[in-house]
Every structure is written in C-alpha cells, then in structure tokens.
Amino acid sequence: MAVIAAPDPRQYDRAKSAAERAAIDASCRGPVLFFASSAVLWLVIGSMLALIASIKLHSPYFLTGTAELTFGRARMAHLQSVGIGWASLASVTACLWLMCRLSRAELIYPKMLYLAGALWNVGVFFAVFGILFGDGQSVEWLDAPPYAPPFFVAALGLVSAWTVATFRRRRELHVYVTQWYILGAVFWFPWLYLVAQFIIFWVPVAGVVQPIVNWWFGHNVLGLWFTPVAVGTAYYLIPKIIGRPVHSYYLSIIGFWALALFYSWAGMHHLIGGPIPAWLATASTVGSMMMFIPVIAVAINHHMTMLGHFHRLRYSPALRFTVFGSIAYTMASFQGSLMALKGVSETAHFTHYIVAHAHLGAYAFVTMIFFGLFYYMVPRLTGREWASSTLIRIHFWGTAVGITTYFVALSIGGWWQGRMLNNPDVPFAKIVLYLQPHLFARSIAGVLLTTGHIAFAISFVMNLSGWGKQRSGGPTFFVEPATRKA
C-alpha cells in the first residue's frame, strides 16, 4: 500500500509569501521605477556639473566663455541636481518600496504618484536650469529659483501622504525599525523644507535669524531626511541579504529616538564665532556630541548582524555598497561630532575640510547605501538580473576609490589650509598654491565617481530595456560558489 506524504506547510507558506511579494512589487513597480529612473538621470547630470565645478578650482580658465557654466552657477546647480534630484528621489524610491514590502500592503492609486514624480522632476528641472541661466538664490541648499519650490512642496505632500496611507493599510502587525525611520523622514523633511522656505523667502525674517535657519535646514536635511531613510534601508538590506534578523530590535529603537531627539539641535556649530547667541552654539555643540549615542547603537547593531557573514561581501553587490555606506555613516557622524568642538571648528571653518566631511556623509554614506538598494530592488521589480558584472565592478570600485580619494585629499588639504589661514605670517597666495595638488586630486576623484555613475546608469537602462536573464530568486547577480554549483 503506497504511503502518500503530507504536504509540507512550510513550503506552502513560502509559496504564499512569494506570491504576496510579487503582487506587492507589481502594484508599485511603475511609480517606484519612475522615481528611480529620474534619480539616476539627475545623478548623471549632477556628476557632470560637479566635475566642471571641480576642474575650475585648479584650472580657472576652463570653459570661461560660457556664463552658464561659471563655478558659482555650476556648483549651485550640482547641489540641486544631486540633493533634490538624485538623493531625494532615491529616498522617495526607498520610502515607497520598503513601506509596501514591510507593511505587506499593495500600493493604492499609483497614478497619483506618477503625478508626484512629474511635479518633482519639473521642480528639479526649473531649479537646475534656472540656476544655470542666472536665477539662483544665494542660500546654500536652497539655491533654487523662487518658481521651483512649489513643485517640490506639492510632490512631497503626495509622497508623504501615500507613505503614511500604505502604513495605515498594513497587514503586518509588527512595526519594523525601517518603518520607524521612514515615517520619521516623511514627517521631518516636509516640515524642514516648508519652514525654511517660509522664514527665508516667503515671509523673510531679518538679520542673523536667516543664516541660523539656513544652517538648521542644511544640516537637518542630511540628518533628518537622508540619514533616516539610508539607515532604515541598511536595516532592511543587511538582514535580508545574509538571511538573519537584526541583532537587537531594542537597540535599533534606541538609535532611532536618540537621532530624533539630538540631531535637530545640530548645525549651529557651523556658526561658532559668528554673531549668534552663545547659548545656541553651545546647545548645538551638546546636541552634536550626544549624537554618539544613536551612531554607536547603529554601528553595534549592523556589525553584530553582519558578524560571521562578512565573506558575503565578495558575492553580493548590494551588500558591498550597503556595508560601505554603513561604515561611512559611523565615520561621518563621529567626525561631525568632533567638528562641533570649538578647538576643531576654529581650524576647519571655511576650508575644504568641511567639503570633505559633507561628501563623507552625503555620498560615502547615503549614496552608497542607495546604490545597494537599487542593486537589490530593481531585479525584483523588473524580474531580470543585472546584465553585466563588469559594469557593477566598475561602478563599485570607481565610486569607492573615488570618494576615498576625494575625502582624503580634501581632508588633509583643508586641515592645513585652516592652519595656514589662522597664521597671519602665511601669505594668502601661498595657501592657494598649496591647495592646487589637493584640488587636482579632487578632480581625479570626480572622474572616477562619474565613470562609476555612468556604468551604473548603463546597467540600469539595460535592465529596464530587457537585458539580463530572468530572475529565479536568491542573491542578486553574485552568488556563493556552492550555490552556483547547485
């Protein structure tokens, strides 16, 4: 008599979960890929503008016949292209896809998000090209002409509403730490942007309050918009790729609430020595030093989660970028806290050291983690693997070596620049000559970064165009040798 084996309930649950994930990805595929494609486009444009601005620092006669590409305009347009364009659109991409995945909820009314994406892109277009044609405003990170912000505000409102609506419709009762970070980000950034626009431009306040608000906004865009989305993304990707849960859920919540409590005070240390109330600079310094708490919490959690799995960095491009970004987060945050000390600030102020620090946070941390997200997410949305491992390697090594060169060159050059500026016996012309090789190294780093970005853009377009084999589950593109033999 034949014995019929009972069906394995675990296989049924896995099949059911896979079908549910496929339905969720299908519901958000269009809007998410639209935001992702827009982000990649503005990344490439911003890279070109950054390279032009960098070359002009050591070769001032480069493109001198074009008023639209002077250093001031090119740099302001670059900041808008990579800040409001690439990094913000990549953040929106992460918010929408991760919230749908973790909430186990399909995206509703996706056409409204197409509208949000169109408004956002129109706003970035007006910001970048308006600046190039002379309509920029002299407020860092808020350089966009006055006709661009309304498009951002409308798009941001739609994105925030849809993110919260997805969370409210969740079928998963457990709230993951990534969702905490995303919900915080979609609340904080609209508030930051609206308050800054209102106080600086729409109903402008007088005097020293404007630079105070400017630095409050500029610093908190990184800390309360890009940082929570990027950290939340890392909290999702690392456990997913290596197949183990986060080391400590409670430690991750401590990190979130410490970030929410302390980071909003930071930023004023950039105005130490300026005509601002002493208590404000002191409170900012204290808030910056307290940032050691969330950073250490995140660093311990990520390291303990990865422990015993670092060998997987050789096989997973998504993990490589994510771990690189997570390490850079720790470094950038520690450096930022130390820069709030008056003894450090008096040397680092008004130098390329500040530029190096900004790129360690905004690029080595935030952008590298978003690259990891794209390498993990896009194949799951298109159903196709990446077509070329060579392009992925060019992307990783171009960006990793590029940003390392950038940071080291400008950190060393900027620190000695500050030392010489504080020495009245050093002629200013000598300082300019000293910086030349460091600025040239910056341009070399820019070439490496741009090369990596172009390789990434080509891979991305190839995947959307149907290149690459059909995805069959498992790791993305690079797989373990044992798995490859199976």
Side-chain angles (χ1 to χ4, degrees):
M1 182 176 177
V3 178
I4 300 175
D8 187 348
R10 290 174 298 181
Q11 291 184 354
Y12 173 77
D13 289 340
R14 283 194 293 269
K16 184 179 179 181
S17 296
E20 182 182 78
R21 288 194 299 271
I24 291 170
D25 288 344
S27 72
C28 62
R29 178 180 297 121
V32 168
L33 288 178
F34 179 49
F35 278 103
S37 303
S38 304
V40 174
L41 173 63
W42 290 114
L43 173 67
V44 174
I45 294 174
S47 301
M48 299 298 181
L49 291 169
L51 194 55
I52 291 171
S54 180
I55 292 173
K56 282 178 174 289
L57 287 174
H58 55 81
S59 303
Y61 294 104
F62 178 66
L63 296 178
T64 52
T66 308
E68 290 76 19
L69 295 177
T70 55
F71 174 81
R73 295 189 191 183
R75 185 179 180 276
M76 284 198 298
H78 154 70
L79 287 178
Q80 291 296 308
S81 184
V82 298
I84 303 298
W86 153 251
S88 289
L89 286 168
S91 297
V92 171
T93 300
C95 289
L96 294 176
W97 188 67
L98 293 176
M99 187 59 79
C100 287
R101 273 293 192 98
L102 292 172
S103 300
R104 294 172 52 207
E106 297 179 11
L107 192 67
I108 58 172
Y109 307 120
K111 291 182 179 179
M112 290 299 293
L113 288 174
Y114 282 114
L115 174 61
L119 290 171
W120 201 300
N121 278 286
V122 170
V124 180
F125 179 87
F126 283 159
V128 171
F129 290 96
I131 288 170
L132 292 178
F133 286 101
D135 286 345
Q137 304 184 96
S138 57
V139 181
E140 191 159 15
W141 287 108
L142 293 168
D143 314 285
Y147 44 79
F151 292 94
F152 300 139
V153 171
L156 195 56
L158 288 172
V159 168
S160 299
W162 255 244
T163 304
V164 173
T166 302
F167 178 76
R168 287 176 58 86
R169 297 177 64 253
R170 68 189 185 278
R171 293 200 294 266
E172 174 60 58
L173 296 180
H174 178 73
V175 179
Y176 294 92
V177 63
T178 298
Q179 292 170 292
W180 282 94
Y181 279 106
I182 289 174
L183 290 172
V186 299
F187 170 77
W188 291 323
F189 184 50
W191 168 254
L192 287 168
Y193 194 79
L194 281 171
V195 169
Q197 288 289 337
F198 189 87
I199 291 180
I200 296 178
F201 298 116
W202 297 342
V203 185
V205 293
V208 76
V209 179
Q210 286 201 14
I212 289 173
V213 174
N214 182 207
W215 271 110
W216 169 78
F217 171 80
H219 211 266
N220 283 282
V221 163
L222 176 62
L224 296 179
W225 172 228
F226 299 143
T227 292
V229 179
V231 170
T233 299
Y235 265 121
Y236 177 85
L237 290 177
I238 292 174
K240 268 288 187 181
I241 294 170
I242 67 177
R244 66 182 298 186
V246 172
H247 171 68
S248 171
Y249 179 77
Y250 295 104
L251 192 62
S252 65
I253 294 301
I254 290 173
F256 169 79
W257 284 110
L259 174 75
L261 180 62
F262 300 125
Y263 201 99
S264 60
W265 287 93
M268 295 308 104
H269 61 269
H270 289 282
L271 298 175
I272 289 176
I276 65 172
W279 69 266
L280 193 59
T282 302
S284 180
T285 300
V286 172
S288 296
M289 298 307 295
M290 294 301 288
M291 277 298 297
F292 279 111
I293 296 173
V295 173
I296 291 173
V298 171
I300 291 173
N301 234 359
H302 286 171
H303 179 78
M304 295 304 294
T305 304
M306 277 293 299
L307 202 62
H309 295 268
F310 284 99
H311 64 282
R312 293 177 182 264
L313 295 173
R314 296 183 340 194
Y315 311 118
S316 171
L319 194 61
R320 279 191 204 175
F321 281 100
T322 303
V323 170
F324 186 101
S326 298
I327 294 172
Y329 171 60
T330 305
M331 294 174 57
S333 300
F334 281 6
Q335 183 190 32
S337 294
L338 294 176
M339 284 169 57
L341 300 176
K342 292 184 178 180
V344 178
S345 179
E346 68 182 9
T347 299
H349 254 173
F350 312 118
T351 69
H352 290 285
Y353 188 89
I354 302 295
V355 180
H357 169 68
H359 282 75
L360 183 64
Y363 191 96
F365 159 45
V366 173
T367 289
M368 293 297 267
I369 286 182
F370 286 154
F371 285 149
L373 171 69
F374 277 48
Y375 278 115
Y376 184 88
M377 173 189 70
V378 172
R380 285 156 177 79
L381 292 173
T382 64
R384 285 180 295 276
E385 277 297 347
W386 298 96
S388 171
S389 62
T390 300
L391 287 173
I392 296 177
R393 291 188 179 93
I394 291 173
H395 180 205
F396 177 77
W397 290 111
T399 53
V401 175
I403 192 58
T404 302
T405 303
Y406 192 108
F407 175 73
V408 172
L410 289 193
S411 292
I412 295 173
W415 185 258
W416 285 104
Q417 176 192 13
R419 295 286 297 272
M420 289 189 287
L421 285 170
N422 289 336
N423 185 348
D425 296 327
V426 178
F428 186 76
K430 184 177 181 180
I431 302 174
V432 174
L433 291 174
Y434 165 78
L435 285 172
Q436 290 301 299
H438 297 277
L439 296 175
F440 188 75
R442 167 182 173 156
S443 292
I444 293 175
V447 171
L448 291 172
L449 292 170
T450 302
T451 301
H453 298 163
I454 292 173
F456 172 58
I458 292 172
S459 289
F460 185 81
V461 172
M462 289 173 66
N463 189 285
L464 295 188
S465 301
W467 292 53
K469 63 182 180 180
Q470 289 295 117
R471 186 174 175 275
S472 57
T476 301
F477 199 80
F478 297 125
V479 297
E480 304 251 13
T483 306
R484 187 172 294 180
K485 294 176 183 177

